[in-house]
Amino acid sequence: MEKIRIGTRGSKLALWQAYYVEEKLKLAGLATEIITIETIGDKILDVSIAKIGSKGVFTEEIEAKLLDGTIDIAVHSAKDMQSELPEPFELIAFTEREKVNDVLVSEKADINLDDKDLVIGTSSTRRVAMLKHFYPHIKTVPVRGNLQTRIGKMKDGACDALMLAYAGMFRMGYGDMIRHELPLNQFTPAVGQGSVAIECSTTLGGDKRKAIRKALNHTETECRLLCERAFLRKLQGGCSIPVFGLATLNGEDITFEGGIVSLDGQKIIRKSVTGNKDKAEELGHNLAVEVLEAGGEKILKEIKTELGK
């Protein structure tokens, strides 16, 4: 079989993910090559993702390379993937999920969430809205860029702490900077957080596709993410919409908790459901309908109006 060409963004975390995928492919006896690609999300760092437009902000240029055959697969953080991929793209594998929590990261040893002068840096509308809901006294400032850039901005005084995903901090070896692991029943993560998603074009040869999926896909993680992504798809949520969702597996059962929070943090709708894992996508979809009917549709409209969607 010809070597598998892996497309990735060029940040250190994105490259970690690409090398992680490459190692798994090599263990399966497959030859590989890594190709780095710059996206619009990497180029524009002084504007929030919500204002750039969330659809494809980290994927459009990479998908162009999938389309012209420069690369065979693209490696992404699953949480960055839009809920519906344009034709002719598909996700064919999800790697085993890392711990999903949001964390507070700082050089300062004592970060107290009750501190009325605390300033937290984050570029996520979900995290900002959650902080406004649970800790309305905390001030937030937008901090964008790769992980190292954000940490550099914090060290330069932009904020006291950063709110980030545990997975990225752990993978980059910054675990000693984590000051708080935020509880999942409050700070429920973004859909897909902690997993690496593998994207390809539907034109990718069947043998290659099967070999890649066999080497990379983690069945339990895939089940959880199919549920979460079905929820996101029904809500039409992108990176700029403060939607949250987390599916967990217990034997044959899957439990999914998901919801939406208003941008000002005043209103939050949170629902949960448990059912057979074989109906993961149906459960995610149905819970989204429940959230919309419970007032989520009104919140979603308000958010889109405020963001100019």
Side-chain angles (χ1 to χ4, degrees):
M1 188 180 294
E2 294 176 359
K3 67 182 174 185
I4 294 164
R5 295 158 301 168
I6 305 163
T8 177
R9 295 166 62 200
S11 72
K12 288 184 179 179
L13 181 56
L15 287 169
W16 182 96
Q17 293 175 165
Y19 289 128
Y20 171 71
V21 164
E22 181 180 55
E23 184 180 356
K24 285 184 170 295
L25 291 171
K26 284 182 174 179
L27 284 172
L30 301 167
T32 62
E33 178 187 359
I34 290 176
I35 297 169
T36 58
I37 301 157
E38 190 175 39
T39 70
I40 189 171
D42 300 308
K43 296 171 186 174
I44 304 175
L45 299 179
D46 57 348
V47 178
S48 71
I49 291 170
K51 289 179 180 175
I52 299 171
S54 62
K55 286 192 176 180
V57 67
F58 291 120
T59 59
E60 193 173 333
E61 288 83 358
I62 295 175
E63 285 175 340
K65 299 298 183 185
L66 284 172
L67 206 56
D68 69 17
T70 302
I71 58 175
D72 297 304
I73 59 172
V75 176
H76 306 281
S77 292
K79 70 180 178 65
D80 290 338
M81 297 304 294
Q82 59 224 73
S83 55
E84 290 186 275
L85 270 60
E87 291 284 346
F89 305 110
E90 60 179 341
L91 298 180
I92 60 167
F94 299 98
T95 66
E96 186 171 4
R97 200 170 204 175
E98 184 52 81
K99 187 184 289 189
V100 300
N101 298 66
D102 284 336
V103 293
L104 284 184
V105 172
S106 183
E107 277 197 307
K108 299 176 181 178
D110 184 25
I111 294 295
N112 185 350
L113 286 162
D114 294 324
D115 181 355
K116 290 186 167 42
D117 295 319
L118 185 63
V119 179
I120 294 178
T122 175
S123 59
S124 161
T125 54
R126 174 187 61 85
R127 289 173 178 146
V128 170
M130 291 287 202
L131 283 168
K132 285 180 178 177
H133 183 79
F134 292 109
Y135 298 95
H137 61 276
I138 288 177
K139 182 185 175 185
T140 61
V141 293
V143 179
R144 281 206 52 224
N146 63 42
L147 190 53
Q148 290 74 23
T149 298
R150 295 186 201 196
I151 290 172
K153 289 178 179 179
M154 177 183 69
K155 288 179 177 179
D156 289 341
C159 54
D160 300 304
L162 295 166
M163 192 171 176
L164 298 163
Y166 171 89
M169 292 299 293
F170 175 75
R171 288 165 178 166
M172 287 286 93
Y174 295 140
D176 61 339
M177 293 181 70
I178 294 174
R179 299 292 173 252
H180 292 282
E181 254 180 47
L182 297 165
L184 295 175
N185 63 343
Q186 292 182 342
F187 290 85
T188 311
V191 164
Q193 187 159 303
S195 177
V196 177
I198 309 303
E199 182 185 21
C200 73
S201 167
T202 53
T203 59
L204 184 68
D207 289 344
K208 245 186 192 182
R209 187 185 186 282
K210 286 176 187 174
I212 291 165
R213 182 170 163 78
K214 184 178 179 182
L216 300 176
N217 193 57
H218 186 254
T219 306
E220 289 186 6
T221 299
E222 179 181 43
C223 179
R224 294 169 68 186
L225 265 64
L226 287 176
C227 179
E228 293 174 20
R229 287 181 58 76
F231 172 78
L232 189 68
R233 189 158 54 246
K234 178 61 181 174
L235 285 179
Q236 296 183 319
C239 297
S240 59
I241 306 294
V243 169
F244 54 89
L246 179 64
T248 54
L249 274 175
N250 183 17
E252 294 300 305
D253 287 337
I254 186 166
T255 298
F256 177 59
E257 182 174 302
I260 188 169
V261 56
S262 60
L263 292 176
D264 62 7
Q266 292 296 306
K267 293 170 282 187
I268 187 167
I269 297 173
R270 183 188 298 271
K271 300 288 183 180
S272 65
V273 65
T274 298
N276 189 279
K277 67 181 184 181
D278 291 338
K279 295 187 175 180
E281 289 188 90
E282 185 181 332
L283 289 168
H285 174 93
N286 291 346
L287 194 73
V289 172
E290 194 177 333
V291 166
L292 288 169
E293 291 176 348
E297 188 165 10
K298 184 182 178 188
I299 292 174
L300 196 57
K301 284 180 181 175
E302 289 170 355
I303 290 168
K304 288 183 176 180
T305 298
E306 194 166 336
L307 294 177
K309 296 292 179 187

